[in-house]
Amino acid sequence: MEGGVPAYINQMSTIPIYHEYIDAWLKNHIVSVIALNFVTVIHERQMKKIAGDDKLLRQMIAAMDEGFRMLEALRYPLTPAAQASLIRKRPALMRLFTKIYHRMPISRLVDGSVGEIVALSRVFHLWKEQTRVPPPPQLGRVGKAF
């Protein structure tokens, strides 16, 4: 299909939204989904504990950066580019955003199933094998807990 693959905002939407690089967008999304969901394992889904664990949040942000580096090594565009840029250029601000997010009640509602995260993690490791970018060691340790 010309111009990308249609993505619908919700089930009620009849207007397709096109993204030129939907495959790259989905791969970028996987990086964030894996990192955000893996950290929930450490504190047994107790989001306020995650928000208070500065070391863990730093590791999560470093893991996202490494994931984006792997995508770049595989020649996928970073989309949305602002997300990777914020993680790289303003990690303290990103850490603040994730602290706020994990303190909000909505954070307890938005999480992946174990099966989904395991499947995404397997794909992530396949990408890792195709690049020379080392995976973030903290992501590997957290992933084993899953």
Side-chain angles (χ1 to χ4, degrees), residues 117-132:
I117 302 308
V118 168
L120 293 176
S121 180
R122 286 183 185 141
V123 170
F124 186 83
H125 287 285
L126 289 174
W127 296 339
K128 173 192 73 173
E129 292 171 3
Q130 296 174 23
T131 69
R132 294 185 180 172

Side-chain angles (χ1 to χ4, degrees), residues 8 24 26 32-33 38 40 46 66 70 88 104 109 118 143:
Y8 293 89
L26 290 168
S32 301
V33 166
F38 273 178
T40 63
Q46 295 180 30
E66 290 298 325
M70 279 191 241
R88 290 178 176 167
M104 296 174 66
L109 301 175
V118 168

